[in-house]
Amino acid sequence: MTENGNIPEGTETGRDHVMNPLHGERIVVGVDGSDGSLASVHWAVTEAGLRGAGVHLVMAWQQPQFYGAANDWMLGMDPSGDTGTILADAADTELTRLGTEVGAGQRAVITWEAVEGHPAEFLVHASQDAAMLVVGTRGHGGFVGALLGSVSQHVVAHARCPVVVIPDPGRRLSEGTP
């Protein structure tokens, strides 16, 4: 697990520039790189500025368990031996880029972490001490026509705090669709 923030060590943070979260209040945001999750990040940063809260970006990933093996002995094996490291580094790099980008010029403290695990389960766990959990309607997987993805459905049903679901900005209802 890796964790970073938008304030480098040793940097002074005056009240003019950075707002410390009130009473440890933080908004947790599920990030997967989709348009919906990016809209969620921007919404959460704006909301945190209004509330005086911090923002904590979370990207959870899992190693593939099946590689299309021709025989049973290869199931669940990582042929390169480096998949976990590559996925962790990629997730951390993307969160560092995103956290730095959205944190520029913001008064809210923005932190982030990349974790190995099921996204829905980890977000529910992270919701235990959050003021709010923010997710997009759909991520990269699932059915194109679905209004909510499996992760957003799961966290709405199981989170320990209020959940805000931000619609995908690219999704348009076609004419005649209810």
Side-chain angles (χ1 to χ4, degrees), residues 11 17 20 30 32 35 44 68 71 81 85 89-90 94 97-98 105 111 120 127 134 149 154 164 166 171-172:
T11 301
H17 308 300
N20 291 323
D32 67 1
D35 290 343
N71 51 37
T85 303
D89 290 346
E94 176 60 15
R97 183 197 64 75
L98 181 61
T111 58
S127 75
V134 183
H154 186 86
V164 176
I166 302 297
R171 183 180 173 95
R172 302 278 185 252

Side-chain angles (χ1 to χ4, degrees), residues 110-176:
I110 301 173
T111 58
W112 54 88
E113 68 180 315
V115 297
E116 181 177 5
H118 191 276
E121 292 172 8
F122 190 81
L123 289 171
V124 167
H125 175 74
S127 75
Q128 291 177 0
D129 63 350
M132 178 186 305
L133 176 61
V134 183
V135 294
T137 51
R138 297 186 50 253
H140 286 296
F143 299 101
V144 174
L147 293 177
L148 288 179
S150 61
V151 172
S152 54
Q153 283 182 342
H154 186 86
V155 299
V156 164
H158 300 284
R160 300 292 182 213
C161 66
V163 177
V164 176
V165 181
I166 302 297
D168 183 340
R171 183 180 173 95
R172 302 278 185 252
L173 292 178
S174 60
E175 288 184 34

Side-chain angles (χ1 to χ4, degrees), residues 53-108:
V55 176
H56 187 66
L57 308 178
V58 176
M59 181 181 283
W61 55 272
Q62 291 180 299
Q63 289 193 50
Q65 297 299 312
F66 177 71
Y67 292 93
N71 51 37
D72 290 340
W73 70 270
M74 288 193 67
L75 292 178
M77 291 182 63
D78 180 1
S80 71
D82 295 329
T83 302
T85 303
I86 292 167
L87 288 171
D89 290 346
D92 188 53
T93 299
E94 176 60 15
L95 282 177
T96 300
R97 183 197 64 75
L98 181 61
T100 302
E101 178 183 302
V102 299
Q106 298 297 324
R107 295 180 55 187

